[in-house]
Amino acid sequence: MRCDQLAAVAPVRQFTNCRILRGGTLLREDLWVRGGRILDPEKLFFEERRMADEQRDCGGHILAPGFIDVQMNGGFGVDFSRATEDVGSGIALVAQRILSHGVTSFCPTLVTSPPEVYHKVLPQIPVKSGGPHGAGVLGVHLEGPFISREKRGAHPEAYLRSFEANAFHDVLATYGSLDNVRIVTLAPELDRSLEVIQALTAQGICVSLGHSVADLAAAEEAVQNGATFITHLFNAMLPFHHRDPGIVGLLTSDQLPPGHCIFYGMIADGIHTNPAALRIAHRAHPQGLVLVTDAVPALGLGNGRHTLGQQEVEVDGLIAHIAGTKTLCGSIAPMDVCIRHFLQATGCSVESALEAASLHPAQLLGLEKTKGNLDFGADADFVVLDDSLHVQATYISGELVWQAEEAGP
């Protein structure tokens, strides 16, 4: 029996008494699901003469697409940049724990590391669908080592690299196989970076600009050659200057390819980016804003010393620093917290805040036909939220995978 035939005989679930985020608007409509996909109820009724096999009352809550985190270094004691014999078990633990924060898909992120770490870790992180076991893995985000020394942030200087004469060969020698890679962050001012950008994008890999001292002209040239993302805007790049706004200037550049949308990550944890800067970015280019956690292994663990790749991290309250320094090294705020802070800091609509964590990252990765929305035919990955945007339940492929205590449906 074919997949479409199996879906046709699967039970139909109707989620009622809810507000669905669809087309940028919260609509008072029911959500219909069958075989892991969003259904068009009119076709179901008029073409198949079927009704729901099961109804679930959502108690007036919001149903939004599942959140997608494209930059997450680890969490709950798991460090994705640590070369162990069983990387998969750490990925699985984090994938399960982030369900409670509404995340249904993510990109495990590796910070600058020696080649042997990439060679050992990357083959152990395959793309994987989400389910009761945890959020889906969309591919790995490699942040470094081809970045600026001046703007390396928390990345260890000893392992930074530049591109040699045969630039893409150097990339392959550093990382090994790129089969499981979805995003690469690099500094566009490095010599030979343009040929690397072209080679990576030719393989379907998203190139992001970050940890860089690039001026606007270099950033524009990188985008003209295929780059589509900016890693944690404002952090680890030249500050905005009126005569040369640097990478930040891409948000309003008139030198981008026609119809090209530049996306940019924002860490809205209340630490990395001042609320005024969040407002400036959102008002300048709202459709490109992608909320990321940039979560470190200390996420969920509290104060103390933890790791991030080759570095030791110290957490005090809401702030994570490289131990013994004042250098920020990622966030300890989960995605739902970032969404609520972003909403409060910018005064944007609830719809805009939710789309920044769902639709926009899906569009960045070219997954908008199946992820990041609740359109007919899309994957039934969604989160149930109360009016203050606290997660009540998380669904993947239409199946309940996490539920708050005493919450419904």
Side-chain angles (χ1 to χ4, degrees):
M1 189 177 283
R2 299 198 317 267
C3 289
D4 56 344
Q5 292 174 318
L6 286 170
V9 298
V12 174
R13 290 196 180 118
Q14 179 186 8
F15 295 83
T16 66
N17 189 17
C18 54
R19 289 163 288 157
I20 303 171
L21 179 59
R22 182 177 284 158
T25 305
L26 284 173
L27 305 172
R28 285 202 170 274
E29 293 183 5
D30 295 346
L31 187 72
W32 298 69
V33 173
R34 179 174 64 186
R37 299 286 179 90
I38 308 294
L39 269 183
D40 181 346
E42 288 192 7
K43 285 188 176 182
L44 181 73
F45 180 73
F46 290 110
E47 296 180 10
E48 300 183 38
R49 302 291 180 183
R50 283 193 65 177
M51 298 297 287
D53 298 298
E54 177 188 350
Q55 288 187 331
R56 297 191 182 182
D57 188 322
C58 298
H61 288 320
I62 295 169
L63 268 58
F67 306 144
I68 300 171
D69 193 350
V70 300
Q71 188 176 7
M72 186 177 195
N73 309 290
F76 316 103
V78 176
D79 187 341
F80 298 149
S81 299
R82 290 294 232 190
T84 66
E85 298 300 327
D86 189 17
V87 172
S89 64
I91 296 286
L93 172 64
V94 173
Q96 199 280 325
R97 294 287 294 274
I98 59 180
L99 294 175
S100 66
H101 301 290
V103 178
T104 55
S105 301
F106 72 115
C107 292
T109 303
L110 272 63
V111 296
T112 294
S113 303
E116 56 267 25
V117 170
Y118 296 117
H119 294 179
K120 187 166 187 175
V121 171
L122 284 177
Q124 297 187 63
I125 313 181
V127 173
K128 184 178 182 180
S129 297
H133 56 274
V137 176
L138 299 175
V140 177
H141 180 168
L142 298 176
E143 188 185 4
F146 301 101
I147 58 175
S148 162
R149 292 185 183 277
E150 297 99 305
K151 292 295 181 182
R152 66 185 182 277
H155 292 244
E157 185 173 12
Y159 301 114
L160 297 182
R161 299 176 69 94
S162 55
F163 299 118
E164 303 302 328
N166 191 344
F168 191 59
H169 181 269
D170 194 40
V171 170
L172 295 175
T174 300
Y175 294 142
S177 172
L178 297 175
D179 288 349
N180 297 332
V181 176
R182 198 60 183 259
I183 305 172
V184 172
T185 291
L186 55 78
E189 71 273 15
L190 296 179
D191 287 343
R192 308 179 186 88
S193 64
L194 296 183
E195 63 182 272
V196 172
I197 292 171
Q198 293 171 357
L200 289 171
T201 54
Q203 296 199 18
I205 294 171
C206 167
V207 174
S208 186
L209 311 179
H211 287 277
S212 166
V213 294
D215 59 18
L216 178 57
E220 289 171 335
E221 194 172 12
V223 174
Q224 290 159 3
N225 280 271
T228 55
F229 193 41
I230 303 170
T231 296
H232 45 52
L233 188 76
F234 297 124
N235 289 278
M237 60 186 62
L238 291 179
F240 181 91
H241 189 279
H242 57 283
R243 282 193 288 275
D244 191 334
I247 289 177
V248 177
L250 288 174
L251 271 62
T252 57
S253 172
D254 59 0
Q255 298 299 309
L256 306 187
H260 187 99
C261 179
I262 186 75
F263 292 94
Y264 59 97
M266 294 293 290
I267 310 171
D269 62 348
I271 304 296
H272 278 77
T273 314
N274 185 279
L278 282 174
R279 289 191 289 272
I280 289 171
H282 179 254
R283 291 174 190 177
H285 185 37
Q287 65 269 39
L289 195 149
V290 175
L291 288 175
V292 299
T293 62
D294 197 20
V296 294
L299 171 68
L301 297 185
N303 293 345
R305 291 214 167 191
H306 311 280
T307 67
L308 175 60
Q310 311 300 308
Q311 309 261 51
E312 194 169 52
V313 171
E314 192 158 14
V315 173
D316 182 12
L318 300 175
I319 304 177
H321 288 121
I322 293 296
T325 77
K326 291 299 181 183
T327 301
L328 289 174
C329 61
S331 167
I332 51 174
M335 182 60 82
D336 56 327
V337 170
C338 290
I339 293 169
R340 292 193 295 272
H341 176 72
F342 176 71
L343 177 68
Q344 182 272 327
T346 62
C348 71
S349 67
V350 168
E351 293 91 336
S352 294
L354 293 172
E355 287 190 339
S358 55
L359 178 62
H360 296 176
Q363 290 172 329
L364 165 70
L365 298 177
L367 298 174
E368 66 272 19
K369 289 186 177 178
T370 55
K371 305 285 186 189
N373 65 79
L374 299 179
D375 294 342
F376 303 141
D379 293 345
D381 298 350
F382 59 95
V383 55
V384 181
L385 302 147
D386 63 18
D387 285 354
S388 60
L389 301 188
H390 288 86
V391 178
Q392 304 301 302
T394 304
Y395 286 77
I396 293 180
S397 296
E399 300 293 335
L400 180 66
V401 293
W402 182 84
Q403 187 171 17
E405 292 183 14
E406 301 181 5

